[in-house]
């Protein structure tokens, strides 16, 4: 991992990547911009994280979905409810493409076990989805998931850039004894985790999305996008039950979201159904 030098200082490469995520022009990167999420460690040695965000790197590795995924999770950035037991955890980071440019409007759908290691398969506790902001950033408030037989501690996630294939993977905690015995565990999916009034974790996803290198963030959708012969429009905030037409076909909204170019109804059956 080359984000930090042997003296512990953040490298120029990491600062350049942070500048891209912040939308700062390259000549300004040596003025002290913050490092990427993956550089926010507690100073202890850890395996290399996946992957370094740079031209030509492989995207974040996929993992199995497992038996507990449910579609149509609530749109929310916090999975906490009143009196939720467990150690508080804040997970943050960025979603990048292959040229290390942030991806705005990327969907992240998280699900996990509760503090006792149980999944809610009848409702949506510890399940929720969100979208990255204009800088490609996301933030999730939850708890440290509990353990259950056969697995180490982990968080499931599906990540999808607008109009691109879905990445399904899992995130892991460093220093867990069961990391050594879990047959699914992959050290490249370790989060950076530190204590501080709960736990703070960080992870950057790199998706298999071709990009032209540029310091500018991915443009956000505008309200002027209107498909011919349809009422669906990017930039519109839709609620569950809203009806639109697109390409001569009628659709019903399944869950609230703000429409983005690339998320037209035929492309995202999780958000729209024909009706």
């Amino acid at each position: 991992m080359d984000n930090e030098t042997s003296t512990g200082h953040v490298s120029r490469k990491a600062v350049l990547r942070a500048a891209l995520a912040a939308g700062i022009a390259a000549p300004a990167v040596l003025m002290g911009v913050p490092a990427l999420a993956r550089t926010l460690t507690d100073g202890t040695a850890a395996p290399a994280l996946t992957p370094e965000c740079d031209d030509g790197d492989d995207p974040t590795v996929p993992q199995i979905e497992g038996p507990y995924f449910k579609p149509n999770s609530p749109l929310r950035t916090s999975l906490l409810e009143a009196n939720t037991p467990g150690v508080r955890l804040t997970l943050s980071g960025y979603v990048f493409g292959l040229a290390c440019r942030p991806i705005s409007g990327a969907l992240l759908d998280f699900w996990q076990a509760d503090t006792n290691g149980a999944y809610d398969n009848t409702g949506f506790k510890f399940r929720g989805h969100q979208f990255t902001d204009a800088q490609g950033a996301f933030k999730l408030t939850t708890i440290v998931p509990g353990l259950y037989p056969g697995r180490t501690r982990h968080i499931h996630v599906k990540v999808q850039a607008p109009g691109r294939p879905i990445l399904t993977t899992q995130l892991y905690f460093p220093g867990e004894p069961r990391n050594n015995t879990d047959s699914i565990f992959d050290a490249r999916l370790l989060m950076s985790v530190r204590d501080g009034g709960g736990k703070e974790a960080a992870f950057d996803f790199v998706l298999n999305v071709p990009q032209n290198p540029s310091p500018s963030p991915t443009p956000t959708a505008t309200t002027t996008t209107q498909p011919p012969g349809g009422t669906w429009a990017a930039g519109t905030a839709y609620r569950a039950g809203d009806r639109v037409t697109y390409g001569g076909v009628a659709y019903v909204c399944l869950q609230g979201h703000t429409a983005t170019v690339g998320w037209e109804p035929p492309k995202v059956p999780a958000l729209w159904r024909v009706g």
Side-chain angles (χ1 to χ4, degrees):
M1 184 167 64
D2 63 351
N3 286 343
E4 298 185 5
T5 67
S6 60
T7 60
H9 296 294
V10 177
S11 70
R12 182 175 183 273
K13 183 179 178 183
V15 174
L16 283 168
R17 290 200 294 269
L20 292 178
I24 299 172
V29 299
L30 299 181
M31 298 175 63
V33 296
L36 285 182
R38 65 178 71 257
T39 69
L40 302 179
T41 66
D42 58 7
T44 59
L49 301 181
T50 176
E52 294 295 339
C53 183
D54 197 3
D55 295 333
D57 281 319
D58 294 331
T60 301
V61 294
Q63 290 217 310
I64 63 171
E65 178 182 280
Y68 301 120
F69 173 70
K70 290 179 60 177
N72 304 324
S73 68
L75 175 64
R76 56 186 178 184
T77 58
S78 175
L79 306 185
L80 301 180
E81 300 178 359
N83 302 316
T84 298
V87 176
R88 297 297 187 263
L89 171 70
T90 300
L91 168 61
S92 59
Y94 294 96
V95 176
F96 292 105
L98 294 179
C100 204
R101 291 176 58 192
I103 299 176
S104 64
L107 171 68
L108 298 103
D109 197 343
F110 295 96
W111 72 102
Q112 66 172 79
D114 63 17
T115 192
N116 297 314
Y119 288 85
D120 179 10
N121 296 317
T122 58
F124 288 93
K125 291 181 179 178
F126 297 108
R127 300 175 184 271
H129 73 275
Q130 59 179 278
F131 296 89
T132 55
D133 64 17
Q135 287 71 47
F138 70 91
K139 184 175 183 180
L140 177 72
T141 303
T142 182
I143 63 166
V144 175
L147 294 167
Y148 57 91
R151 292 303 316 276
T152 190
R153 219 176 295 273
H154 62 280
I155 296 174
H156 295 269
V157 60
K158 289 180 179 286
V159 190
Q160 184 180 24
R164 303 291 301 184
I166 297 172
L167 166 70
T168 300
T169 193
Q170 302 180 37
L171 302 181
Y172 296 98
F173 294 77
E176 288 288 327
R178 292 194 187 181
N179 288 351
N180 297 323
T181 58
D182 189 328
S183 62
I184 300 175
F185 170 77
D186 190 325
R188 293 172 296 172
L189 295 168
L190 280 167
M191 299 178 287
S192 297
V193 181
R194 63 183 179 184
D195 293 318
K199 290 186 179 292
E200 298 176 3
F203 191 87
D204 299 326
F205 296 94
V206 179
L207 300 183
N208 189 13
V209 176
Q211 297 173 315
N212 294 321
S214 168
S216 301
T218 304
T220 56
T222 66
T223 57
T224 58
T225 303
Q226 181 82 6
T231 60
W232 179 91
T236 302
Y238 290 107
R239 298 174 298 179
D242 286 350
R243 295 179 177 273
V244 300
T245 57
Y246 185 90
V249 179
Y251 294 89
V252 178
C253 180
L254 297 178
Q255 50 186 310
H257 67 284
T258 298
T260 302
V261 173
W263 289 93
E264 293 83 357
K267 298 181 180 180
V268 280
L271 298 178
W272 298 96
R273 65 169 173 83
V274 177

